[in-house]
Each structure stands twice: as C-alpha cells, then as structure tokens.
Amino acid sequence: MLYGAKLLKKVNFPAATVLGPEASDNEIKDLIEKCGSVFVKPIFKGGVGKKGKSGLIGRALDIKSALAEKERLYFAEHKVGAMSYKAQGVTFEGAVAADYEVYFSITDSTKYRAPTVTLTHHGGVDIEELEPEKVAEAPFDALTGLKAFVIANALSDLGAPKEIVSPLVQNLPKLWDLFHLHGMTTLELNPIRMTVSSPGRLLPVACDFKCGFDRDDHRVDRLGLPEDLFMADDTDFEQEINQLRTYQGQSDVYVINDKGTILSPTFGGGANSLVTEGLGDDAIISSDFGGNPPYEKMHEVMKICLRHWLPQTNVLFVIGGKSNNTDIFETFRAMSDALREYFNENGPSPIFVVIGRGGVNLVRGMGVFKDVLEALGLPYRIFGHDSAMSDVVRYAQTVDKWMKDGGRAQIAAKLGIEEG
Amino acid sequence: MKKNGIENFKYYVGVNSLKDIASKDDKICVLNILGGESRTVTPISHSYSGGNVFFGTSPGRQGQVLETNIGDIPVYNNVREGLKDGHTFNVGVVYLPPAGVRDGVAELIRVNDDLEKIIIITEKVSAHDAREIRALGQQGKVDIFGANCLGIADAWLQVRYGGALGGDRPAETLHKGSVAIYSNSGNFTTTIANYLKTYGWGTTTSISSGKDVYIHFAAPEFAHALANDARSKAAVMYIEPGGYYEQNLKLTKPVVACVVGRWKANLTRAVGHAGAIGGAGDGAEAKEEWFMNHFGVDDVFTPENPVCSAKGALVVNIAHIPTALTAVMKLNKAEPDFPPEGDLSLKPWFGNNQGLDLPDEFDLPIVDAISPYKEQIASLGKQVGAVFPRQPMKDCSGSSIMDAKTQITRVNGVSILDAAMEPLESNLCLNLVRELNDGNDNALFNLAVASGVNLNGGAALAAADAAREAGNSPNTVIAAACSIYGPNQVDGARNAAETLIELFAHSGIPAGDDESADVSSAKPSKEQLATLVAGSPDAKAEAMLAALKARGGKSLFVKYIRSLDGHPTADAVLAALTTTIAWESLMCKRISKLTVRNLPWHVRLFSLHMGASAPPANHTNDSYCGVPMKEVLQSLTATELAYLSLTGKKPTKEELFPFQVMLGLIISNGVGTISAQGAKGAVAADGPETPERVHINKCMIGYLTHTGFAHGGNGFEGIQFLIERFSGKNMTDAGNAKHGLDLKAMAEEYAVKFGEDKKASKAVGEPIRNIPGVNHPVFKGLVVNKDPREVFIADLLKKRGDYNVFHEFYSALVQALFDTGVTKNVFCVNIDAIIATILLKLLWPRFQSGDFSEKAMESSAFTAFLFGRMAGCAAEIDDHTNRGRNMDTRTPASKCNFVS
C-alpha cells in the first residue's frame, strides 16, 4: 500500500493515508488521532498474499501499541507454501471507517479472452470464499476500455446497495488507465472501504493494493518505481541474466535449487516444462534459452551460468527438442566457447556433459561442442532428436547419481585436480 | 462484406475446419520480411509451400527483394504500397519486434479488407498489446494465431505459414497422416511430429498456438476445427499450465493430451512461455483433471500403466505420446498411417568416456545417427579446423570486444590487462591462433619473426626508405614496405603450410610440438614435396634450423621436413614453425585452415613492421641494428626485436617489461577503432567470400593508412606535454624515486597557469588546449575518478618496484587541478597518459643526451603504437577474412547524409 497509494494518486483514486517505515512517532501519533486507529502491516516485496490470516496485520489504537506492532512485524517472516518471505519494514495505514467493503480487480481473463473486472460489495475477505452469485465478473473491450456502464451493469447484477453505486461508477473506471497504460497484468484493491465523505455521500477509499507488472512492457517505467521493487525474489544470478532480456532469444531463468548438481541450460518453453518436471530438485536452474539467440547473447548467458554454478555442477546438461529456428551451431559454439573460456580462466572442473538436441545446423553444432569437450578432456554423451527427451533427462540423472557416488572424484583425478 | 463467424462461439472464429486453416490458395504478406528471423525462415516456408508469399514489408526498403530458390519476393515500405502495386493477400504473417506488433496487426486489418488470418511469430508481446490485438481481431473478424508461436503447417498440402515448423527441413518432419497437433510449444510441435513417426503416425494440420496469456486461436477453436476435418482421425494436444482454454473442451475425436508442468506450481513467475504459470484453478493438475474427466480415465497413461479409453489418454511425458496414441487408436480400430520410422531409445551420436570406467547402465555405445545426419557426421570427421558461418561483419568482430562500462577490450577472450602481462610474441600469436602461447611456441615464433626483420638489400627496405625520405609518417613508411610483400613473396611459405595441413590433418596428432609422434603415414606427393624441400641447401633455412636448435624449440613439422628427401627451404621452415604453433588450435577447430595457411604471411608482415621502422643503415648482411644475425636468430624475442627496431639498442630486463606492458595495452581497442575499421574495410573490398583474393599485406596497409597523427600518433601529445613540464629540471633518471623534484609544486604551478589560461581563453571565446592524458568520457563524475586500466598498470608496476616519475607527476597533476579549483572533482589519469609515461621513461636518457630529437620521439611514439596495434588488426583481418561477406562494411545509401 506504501507504493499503491502513490500509484492510485496518479489517477486520483482515493486511498488510505499511509506512512512508511521511516515514520516518526509523532507522525504515527497524528495518524492515529486523525483516523482513530492504524493498521500496521509488514512490507513484503512481490505481492505476498493472505497476511491477515497469518496474523501479520496489527491494529493499534495508540502509539504504544503501534510501536509494539512495529517491533513485532518489522522483520516478520511469512510462509506461503514452500516459500518463505521476510518483511522489510512496516507501513502504518490510517483506518477508514466504513459500512461497506468492496473487492475490485482487473485482470486478463483466459475464460473471456478480454480484460475483465471482478467486483463485489462483500469485500474484505478472500474472493474465492464467496458464493459465485455474490461476485460479478464483467469482461469488456480493451479498445474502448473500462467504462462506467460496465461497473453499473455489474453492480446491478449483484444487487448492490444503491448508495455505493454512484461513487463506484464514478471512481472505478479511473483504474483502467492505471492498469492498461502502465504495463500491469493484474490490479486488485481489497478492500475498498466506502467511507462517508460528506453527509449522505460515500467515497471509495482503497485500503489495500496489489498489482502485477508485465516484464515485457516498458510502460511500467512511466511509474518511476524504484528498480529494487522488481528484484523481489531475484537472485544475483537471475538479475544478471535478466539484464540480457531482449526479444531476440529467450533468457528466462529461475533458480530451482541452489544446492542442485545438474546445470541444465534448456531450449524452448516446452522443453523447460519437461526438463524442470523431470529433474526436480536435482536441477540448479529452470531455464529457457530458445528463440534463436544470437551468438553474443548465448555466450554471455552461458558465461553467467558457468560462473555462478559450474563449481557445484556434476552434470552439464544441455537439452532441447528439435529446434525450428534456433541455430544449433551458433548456440553450441557460443556455449562451448564459454565453457572453454571458463576452464581457461578458472581451471578445470570435474563435470560430465550430456547433450540432447535436434534442429538447424545440428551436426555442425554437435561437432563444435564435441571438439571442445575432447580438448578439455571431459566425458560426454551427445544425443540427437531421435532419443526421447525424457529418457535423456533420466540419463543425466543417472550420471549425476554416479558422480555423487564417486564419479566426480574419478573425473577430477583424470583432470589432475583435487576435488572433494 | 466480411463473413459471419461460426455460430458455436460467443466471439468471432472464422476457421471451421483444420483443412481450411492452411490452403494452397492462400496468399501471404509478411511484415518485417527482411528481419533477421524472417530472412532465414520465410524462404524455406515459401519454397516448401510452392510459393505462397506474395510480398513483404520493411519500411525504407521498398524495391528490395527477399531471394528464395523459387523466385524473389518483392518488398515494400508498407502494406498499402504492396496492394497499390497490384498484390492481394488474405493471410498476414507478423515478424515485427514486440513493440511494433500491435500496430502491424492494425495495419493489416485496416488496410486490407480481404484479410482472414494473421499469424504472429514475435515473442514478448506485452499483455497490453495482446489485449488490444485480441479486440482488433474480433472487430475486424480475423482469425489470429499466436503470438509467440511458430505458425501452422499442413503435411497434406505441404504448406506452412509463418514460423519454422519442421525447421529447415519441414518435409523431414511433416509426414502426411491422420493426426492433428495442437501445441503450446513451437518446438514440441515439431518434436511431437517426429515422435509420432516412430510409431507410424503422420500428421494433418499442426498448430503451434503460442503460450502467452492471450492465445487467440486456442484449444476450443482447435477442437471445433478438428471435429470438422475429415482427414484428422485423432489429435495430440500439448498443454502447459495457466489459462482456462482447455476447460470443458468439446472434443469429438480421440485425443492424447500431454499436460506438463506440475512442478511449475513451485515457481512464482513464468519461465519460458509467458502464460505458462497456473493460478489456483488452472495449474497442471487441474488441467490433467479436465482431460481425465473427458476421457473417462482415472490415471495418467504410461507404458507400464496404459490407462486409456477410446476417447483418449492423458500423458505427462511427451515420449509416451506415440504409445498412448497407438493404444487409443487401437480401441478405435485404427491402424498407424505408415510403418514406424526409427525409435526413441537412447542413441548417443557422439561420446567419449575419456578413459573412465563407467557403469554399464550409462556407458552407452555410440551409434550411427539417422540419415542424413549420419552422412553429415562422416563429412564432419573429414573437416579440418573451424568453419565459420559467413555474415555481414560491419562493426562486428569475432576477435575483439570492448566492454563499454570498463572500456577494457578483450581479444579472443583475453583482456588487454592480462595481455599486458604477456610478451609481444604471445600477444601476436593470441590474436591469430586464439590462444596464448606456451614457452615452446614462443621459441618458434620468435625465430619466425627474427628470420624476417633484416631487410638488407630487399625492395621493401628501399620502399620504406624512399617513403621516409619523402617525409612520410611511420605508418606510411611501413605501408610502403608492406606493399612489396604481396602474395608472390609469401606463397612459398603458404603452400608449404598447406602441404603440412594436408599431410597431417587426419593423423590424429593433437599437438605440433610432439616430436615423438608417428609421421610414417605422411607420404607427400611429388608436388607436395616440392613445396617443402629443394635440391640444394638453402643458407637461410640452415641458419633458421640451427637457431631452432639453439633456442631448444620442438617442432614435429620441422623434424618431418628434415626427414624428407631434399633440403628444406626457408619458406618450408617458416611454415613448419607457424604450423606447429597453430596446430593445437586447428585440431580443436578454434581456427580455420585458412588462418594456418596465412600465418606465415602475417609473421612476415610483423617482421616487416619492425624491419621497416629501422633505418637502412641498421640492416647489413650479418647484423641487424648492430646485433649479429646469429644472435638475432638464436636468442632475441619479438619483444626485444621491437625494442631494438624502435630504439636501435637492445633492452635491459628492466626496460623490457614496461615496454611489453605498453605494447600489450594497445593491441586492440575494439572493432570500432579507426585502425580496425581500415583493416576490415580492406578485407571487405577484396571479397572474403573468395578468401584467396584477400591480400593480407594490402589489408595491413588498410589498417596502417587508418592510423595517423590523431589516431596512433597522438600518443606523442602526452610525451610532448611531459617534456615541456620536465624541461630544465635536470632530471636524468625517470625511474629513480629520489629525483629531488617537488612534483606537487610543479603540478600546482601548472594547474594555476592552466586555470588562468582557461579563464582568459574563455573570456575571448577561444578554445583551450586540453591536457593530454587527463580525464575520460566514461570514468568521470565521481569525487575521485580512476581509469581502471591506469589503476591496474600502476599497481602492477608498483609491485615490481618500477618507479616512474612521469606517472607520479600525472597523479599529482589531477589532484592539483582539483585543489586549485580548476576541476570540480579529481579527474582520472587515463590510459594514454600511462602509455606516454612508460615510453618517455624508456626514451628519456637518449632524449636527454641529445641522441633523440623531439621529432624522433614523436616518430617512436607513433611506431610503438603500430607495433602493438598490428597484433589486434591482424586479428581483425583474419577474423573478417574467415567470417565476412564481400563488401560488407559499406554503409547503405539510406544511412548516408549530404551536408551543404
């Protein structure tokens, strides 16, 4: 909400008063006096949900309890599934008195294949927990945008109390500009509290804000948000690779297990799904480097992969299906050059190399990789596209197991290096 | 008037049957047809489809064509121009960059009323644009495929639209059959078609749907079109998590659904396909359920647990698709389309255990690849050295790259800071054989260079002298000499090198210094023998062989030519030396045969740089610069020879290291430098696609004429500046820290004066001469600025106890400029200053003694630059010769401006 309030201001959508972690005691005190109470919420980067249910939202009626909540929540940890998130400070949000709480979101719906609003005046709870008839979903035309009648129709379908209709119809369409013109993929306000602004007149005030951004949309830059906001859970490795993100060739990576032992540069979104699935926790990274990357990009990507992960790697596993347009010669030349350069600069590393690939300039590509592996004295197997990719994945895992059971030491001895 | 869409859908869908998706009658217009990807893919699609692309667009390229083997495709600035020229089309294929895709779609729809289908190949189209594209398509009643897809292919009609389904050999993958493919993955569309062949299943229509958040032609539309296609008896659907496209599908024919991505539930953002991340109800498990419910099965099909129904089967591994399909079709009493082709068992095409005793379970024997790969592998085995793909090399280099942030150039993977630690001989080799030399290589290379520095009695020396006498700068003097070393001068050595390559290419000998290797299989023909030996002894060859022995160098090839019947020629000895050095790189395919063949030419030109820089008096029958030729041949290194040529005297050990550092720092400054551009322009003009026509000496002249008083000669500015500062100071030894000078006071005095001059000049609007060696456009803006290259060299020399008073003065000067308020922060001392300080320190005693005039100093500074830069430019010449295209450095007329 700290940034959400600022973003909402861009489209003049009312938001609760929010103070950041740097707020002084006096400022917090003033906010409590003005609003009656404050909500103390930990700051998690990356839009982590269900904080309320996890007891991670405090409410304070006085400065003493506000500071106590601040101390409790400032570095709070929040577990969502297997992931654990650590708070980086707290916000103090002025309470907003209201009779109604509204849930509102805009996202691209694959059911309707159109931008769609989801709306209910039974907000403030998990939207999934409400009966379907209490929630309105309204797709609309992206070219004309979110117009007042879309909101009015949705509220009408819900049978919403008449006093909230006009303020919502007037204010909610503003959010389309924030969503559509700033590279968002989802925007959720929950709750919007309908507070009395003047006698007989309600005003929607956003009290929680979540949004997702499109990594491929530069309109996000219009918001001038700090860079580190987008590096929520990125590792150094991911950040380095992401800097190379262009439309010429994929460079998507995700660190699966930083203790993994199979380094698997993977080509193609499909192969990424299959390999990630097959390798599970054996994989260090999940990646997609397909899309016919040019030599320079592939070389740079591989250098970063090797620098971060080769020391712990047992199996360098280069895998993809039968490429349609990715030039195997160019990509393999870039990768094998990077491997040779790594060995030149850092000395040899005991690895077994497994490759599975098909496609354009295949044999030339395999040949160039083979030559480098021979020159480096590394054991290897290179499979064509007539071997089932999933079997090649299992082959890499079998090799990895052998490496863990003493194979690594054997290769190290062959290479004349000490290896634990 | 546009047709109405199909009634079954609440939104517009125009395609009623898979057989209508692609048609022989469709006419295609490709947007951005000359873009990198389209240029490769479109000609193959066009040719495979019998010519279905009628025109393309590429703004600013009207009048150009895209060549294909069945005729040229015309290119226009925009769609309207194409239509105006009489073309019609009903299918648009979009290859535009992501930011241009939405506008391209709008152009296609708004300009052409006949439009029916659009295929968007581009990846990373923003969600913002995708939602507008969806609306545009609906408004315009156009079926859109993609984005982020590889298009459509029809094996029955042998037609493919957009994209590259089937790669560069579509017919190899797309066999006519009875199975339709719908795949979220472009790669898997082809891979699945390949897998199906192993069980005898061919394909009808294959659709790569893309997997962005918006899939415009999605699973419901596919299911409808499948139902209406009599050719398709079944379908394979490859589905990833994310989106509700597959929920409640109305499938009327048997389907094998492959849903992959359960593990992706652990990810918090998409990797690969932008839309392949599931939420609460659209993850892989949910999708598995949707399909299992439709099929009426309760489990995933595996070969061990073949759960399926006549309606279909669910698999989670694409390798199980053919088995599952066969089982499902058996229940439908349908047989495969043709006999199985190949199988999917593990078959390594290449492998090596490297002597390790691997467990049987994965010690798989190497097997022959399927055709045509088997034949390709066989011919690959016969290939010697690297074969680089040719491409336009304007402003591109496969040799050097400069990091724009650090300004540090890397040559063949080695930073110039590391190159500065190596002697010149290593750097010269690094640039051509792409690896740093070992001691033996250096011994051989030093001899090779030494054998060519003495130009006594030759035309090259006369040419250089005449050029010098005419008042030319050092680069022009060397260029004059280079013009003499044309192909006829070096073909003897080049042919000898080629003979050695031919004789030993398939010997399996990995290193050229292995004198114990068996050479008995190398049987030269009469012609080959003539390139290596002569009937009578060659004095120069004998001297070189004696020198090799004295240097302790090992060379298999020298040993070999000595074993032949005859007397080795000097050309053959030179070729044997250079081929030895290059052999390992050649065998590892790091360099090409061409590079090894040209290596003697390069070496001769390196020697010539040095020899032509020394006046004629320094070349005699038995000595060079006063050093007996025997000593030159038997012991001097290339670095020492460069020093000797430049100064006329042999360096001491203390003098040699800083000289080596200076040369190493200037070998290259990236491909954008004028010198590199000159070299590359010369190669491009000769036409590298016929490499024999590229004359290396002329290319060297190209580089030399692209150096001058502003590029290369400007090193003297720093020297001149320092001479002015230190004149009359009675400082004799620049390496003595106890020089007795108050450098701080000298610097402050100059800084104050400079500040006053600057103010005065500013007042009258006159330019002021900048201080050479100070400040840098990249390393600025901090309170204290440092050029990392200067820091590296300063530390290096400091650690060696190598003091340089000029360097210290520069450091004091940048501080003084700040302290006196002339600069707002402490400027850096840049790399040019470092070079000037090192060179001036070396030449200072001779300048002080009057041995060296200021003009000679200028000449020396320029020549020193050339000695370093010849290495980097030789690399660019060799790289461009190997990779470039004819005339590829020219600038298109559209990029040229007229200035009046």
Side-chain angles (χ1 to χ4, degrees), chain A residues 108 110 113 180 214 250 252 272 277 322 324-325 364 371 374 381-382 386-390 395, chain B residues 11 37 123 127-128 131-132 172 190 195 214 221 244 317 343-344 347 349-350 353 362 387 589:
Chain A
D108 292 294
T110 54
R113 280 184 247 180
H180 190 53
D214 183 352
Q250 300 278 2
D252 274 359
N272 163 267
E277 187 100 4
K322 186 177 182 190
N324 294 295
N325 56 343
R364 285 181 74 195
D371 288 339
E374 291 288 355
R381 286 292 184 280
I382 302 177
D386 57 348
S387 297
M389 200 192 295
S390 50
Y395 181 84
Chain B
Y11 42 86
E37 189 165 339
E123 297 172 14
H128 170 283
R131 63 177 83 102
E132 292 196 354
E172 180 184 301
T190 299
Y195 283 13
Y214 279 88
E221 293 83 278
Y244 289 86
N317 179 345
D343 68 87
L344 291 178
K347 296 176 285 293
W349 293 0
F350 298 95
N353 293 356
F362 66 90
V387 178
K589 297 190 177 171

Side-chain angles (χ1 to χ4, degrees), chain B residues 428-609:
Chain B
L428 290 169
C429 284
L430 165 71
N431 278 271
L432 290 166
V433 301
R434 297 175 185 255
E435 274 177 354
L436 282 167
N437 273 355
D438 62 17
N440 187 65
D441 287 340
N442 277 344
L444 271 55
F445 190 77
N446 287 331
L447 169 58
V449 172
S451 69
V453 289
N454 192 333
L455 308 176
N456 185 37
L461 187 61
D465 194 39
R468 191 179 291 109
E469 285 303 308
N472 284 299
S473 50
N475 58 325
T476 316
V477 170
I478 298 171
C482 282
S483 70
I484 305 300
Y485 272 34
N488 291 348
Q489 292 276 332
V490 290
D491 273 355
R494 291 166 82 213
N495 293 340
E498 188 147 329
T499 296
L500 292 171
I501 297 168
E502 283 168 6
L503 290 173
F504 289 90
H506 302 291
S507 64
I509 296 168
D513 58 0
D514 181 7
E515 291 186 340
S516 63
D518 178 16
V519 296
S520 57
S521 62
K523 307 274 187 221
S525 65
K526 199 176 161 193
E527 290 74 25
Q528 287 174 322
L529 195 62
T531 64
L532 301 176
V533 292
S536 55
D538 176 335
K540 188 171 179 183
E542 296 300 322
M544 287 171 75
L545 291 170
L548 179 65
K549 193 176 175 194
R551 287 176 186 261
K554 289 193 181 352
S555 164
L556 171 69
F557 302 118
V558 169
K559 189 180 170 198
Y560 173 71
I561 59 174
R562 295 188 81 166
S563 73
L564 296 173
D565 185 16
H567 299 277
T569 62
D571 280 344
V573 176
L574 175 63
L577 295 174
T578 56
T579 306
T580 304
I581 295 162
W583 195 251
E584 198 172 331
S585 287
L586 181 73
M587 289 297 103
C588 295
K589 297 190 177 171
R590 295 201 70 188
I591 58 173
S592 68
K593 273 198 298 187
L594 179 69
T595 299
V596 184
R597 174 170 156 77
N598 280 336
L599 204 49
W601 203 348
H602 281 289
V603 173
R604 276 285 168 263
L605 291 165
F606 295 151
S607 304
L608 193 62
H609 267 67

